[in-house]
Amino acid sequence: MARWKPGAKDRLQEAALTLFAANGFEQTTAAEIAQAVGLTERTFFRHFSDKREVLFYGQASFEQAFLDGMAAAPPQAPPWDLVARTLQGAATLFPKERREHSRVRQRVIDRNPALQEREAHKMSTLAVTLVDALHQRGIADPAASLAAESATTVFGIAFLQWISAGEERSMSTITADVLSELQSLTAGASPSGRVAKHP
Amino acid sequence: MARWKPGAKDRLQEAALTLFAANGFEQTTAAEIAQAVGLTERTFFRHFSDKREVLFYGQASFEQAFLDGMAAAPPQAPPWDLVARTLQGAATLFPKERREHSRVRQRVIDRNPALQEREAHKMSTLAVTLVDALHQRGIADPAASLAAESATTVFGIAFLQWISAGEERSMSTITADVLSELQSLTAGASPSGRVAKHP
DNA sequence: GTCTATAGTGCGATAGAC
DNA sequence: GTCTATCGCACTATAGAC
């Protein structure tokens, strides 16, 4: 038996989500989270540079899924195709089994502005990563920036739909739908007669 | 003469920007900012709920300019027209005279992740405000969300261009350009032969 | 692992404006 | 007298330095 159980980071993350969901983010101290898994506050901050990060670590593999999707496109693919591919890559991160976990996590974030800030920042960090990848494919600005931001926008809207109550469709189905809605929107008219009709 | 000079909030903001630009955000304490204008740390936090907020207060009037632009559109205007109008409203906030101030502020933000988080959050707050306004015009989701996010995306990209070195065009010219680029992008091909050509 | 600075909060006191 | 801006002090948690 090892002196320390492995996976301290994952256990801290799990305990943190549970405590945040039960008692709220601000009401939970870093020391409490650490104690819950038999570690000290100091160790918590060794794994996570700040308290919020415990809910967001894993950004690298998150971004990689988007990049892998983009990489699956042919070299000369136009930007709009790359957006679609990128979203297909992202969808692989969200299989059915993760839906409930995602809902819990989102509920915690929704109740705390500091966590919303971090989430917004992680999305804009993702956009920067995607812009770089698009530049490397020879896409110039502002097309590259617009494509990258459109991808994160569509992803964000699709994700909220995916975790909404009663939603059954897969993430990849939803991202494709939202993406085509964006295309319709910019063409000057929404599909399904949605334009300017009062509800 | 009054015991307290009026406009303490504005004076704190001005002093904060100067100190942040000179010494960096983290190296500047709230107490230093307060002292610089003859107040105490406690008073600083009475005006600003947290240290970052000193660079972001004024969000309400910022958002109002977007809403005013949207309000100038006819009642049955399609979402895409509303995006364009919203951006025209936003552009009124950025006359030539503000360009240099915006550059200084942005340089401070660019050098600090915590400030980038706040900025990202303020943009997503703006998007929520715009979604509400679109809903009130009878635009349904996901069109409303996509239109709101597209507006903030175009604004953000246009703003960075507006403050870039050597840029002379007005904000409203740039937002219009970026918006039409987005339209071209979603149509499947970028203008000016930019697609998939290596630089 | 310990020590410390800073952010940020709560509450009571004070000093004018009205 | 009321109202509001400020101050002063005690306090906790975060986060980084040593």
Side-chain angles (χ1 to χ4, degrees):
Chain A
M1 194 59 191
R3 182 162 169 210
W4 302 286
K5 290 185 199 165
K9 203 162 183 167
D10 290 333
R11 284 182 296 122
L12 281 167
Q13 188 176 41
E14 199 183 338
L17 182 60
T18 304
L19 288 167
F20 292 163
N23 311 323
F25 174 76
E26 293 191 342
Q27 286 67 43
T28 307
T29 68
E32 282 168 7
I33 299 164
Q35 277 189 351
V37 297
L39 297 170
T40 67
E41 179 187 65
R42 186 68 186 83
T43 306
F44 177 93
F45 283 112
R46 237 195 292 274
H47 285 286
F48 305 103
S49 54
D50 69 85
K51 199 175 107 180
R52 278 165 289 164
E53 193 60 17
V54 72
L55 279 186
F56 292 93
Y57 109 91
Q59 175 82 357
S61 58
F62 173 73
E63 292 189 354
Q64 195 56 50
F66 288 74
L67 292 172
D68 289 348
M70 195 192 294
Q76 303 297 317
W80 193 248
D81 289 2
L82 296 173
V83 172
R85 295 277 198 165
T86 300
L87 289 166
Q88 284 172 26
T92 66
L93 290 170
F94 302 92
K96 264 189 171 221
E97 316 86 75
R98 280 205 57 176
R99 218 187 292 232
E100 200 46 41
H101 177 272
S102 292
R103 285 188 179 124
V104 174
R105 181 174 174 281
Q106 196 63 31
R107 241 173 280 139
V108 170
I109 293 171
D110 284 346
R111 278 189 282 145
N112 188 277
L115 294 173
Q116 290 162 32
E117 285 193 20
R118 177 59 56 90
E119 174 150 278
H121 186 238
K122 291 282 170 161
M123 291 297 281
S124 91
T125 296
L126 166 64
V128 169
T129 300
L130 297 180
V131 169
D132 283 351
L134 289 164
H135 284 163
Q136 276 167 30
R137 275 182 173 256
I139 315 287
D141 274 326
S145 295
L146 285 166
E149 294 282 355
S150 295
T152 63
T153 289
V154 169
F155 169 77
I157 292 170
F159 177 76
L160 291 182
Q161 181 58 38
W162 184 66
I163 62 171
S164 70
E167 178 61 58
E168 296 278 339
R169 291 173 296 161
S170 71
M171 183 64 170
S172 81
T173 301
I174 298 172
T175 56
D177 279 5
V178 175
L179 186 63
S180 95
E181 287 267 1
L182 175 56
Q183 211 159 11
S184 304
L185 179 78
T186 61
S190 264
S192 329
R194 279 202 188 82
V195 178
K197 291 220 174 128
H198 289 268
Chain B
M1 193 57 191
R3 177 164 178 229
W4 303 289
K5 292 183 199 166
K9 202 161 185 170
D10 289 333
R11 285 181 295 122
L12 283 166
Q13 187 176 40
E14 200 182 339
L17 182 59
T18 304
L19 288 167
F20 291 163
N23 311 325
F25 174 76
E26 292 193 341
Q27 287 66 44
T28 307
T29 68
E32 282 168 6
I33 300 164
Q35 278 190 348
V37 297
L39 296 171
T40 66
E41 182 188 59
R42 192 67 189 84
T43 303
F44 176 94
F45 284 112
R46 221 191 134 268
H47 286 283
F48 306 103
S49 52
D50 68 86
K51 199 175 108 179
R52 279 165 287 164
E53 193 61 18
V54 72
L55 279 185
F56 291 93
Y57 107 93
Q59 175 83 354
S61 58
F62 173 73
E63 292 189 354
Q64 194 56 51
F66 288 74
L67 293 173
D68 289 348
M70 193 191 293
Q76 303 297 316
W80 193 249
D81 289 0
L82 296 173
V83 172
R85 295 277 198 164
T86 300
L87 289 167
Q88 283 172 26
T92 65
L93 289 170
F94 302 92
K96 268 190 163 197
E97 316 87 73
R98 281 206 55 177
R99 218 187 290 233
E100 201 47 39
H101 177 272
S102 292
R103 285 188 176 120
V104 173
R105 181 174 173 283
Q106 196 62 31
R107 241 175 278 138
V108 170
I109 293 171
D110 283 347
R111 278 189 279 145
N112 188 278
L115 293 173
Q116 291 161 32
E117 285 193 21
R118 177 60 55 91
E119 174 149 279
H121 185 239
K122 291 282 170 163
M123 291 297 281
S124 91
T125 294
L126 166 63
V128 169
T129 298
L130 297 180
V131 169
D132 283 350
L134 289 165
H135 284 164
Q136 276 168 30
R137 276 183 172 256
I139 316 289
D141 274 325
S145 295
L146 286 165
E149 294 282 356
S150 295
T152 63
T153 290
V154 169
F155 169 77
I157 292 170
F159 177 76
L160 291 181
Q161 180 59 36
W162 184 66
I163 61 172
S164 71
E167 177 61 58
E168 296 277 341
R169 290 173 296 161
S170 70
M171 184 63 170
S172 81
T173 301
I174 298 171
T175 55
D177 279 5
V178 175
L179 186 63
S180 96
E181 288 266 1
L182 175 56
Q183 210 159 14
S184 304
L185 178 78
T186 60
S190 263
S192 328
R194 280 201 186 85
V195 178
K197 293 218 172 130
H198 288 269

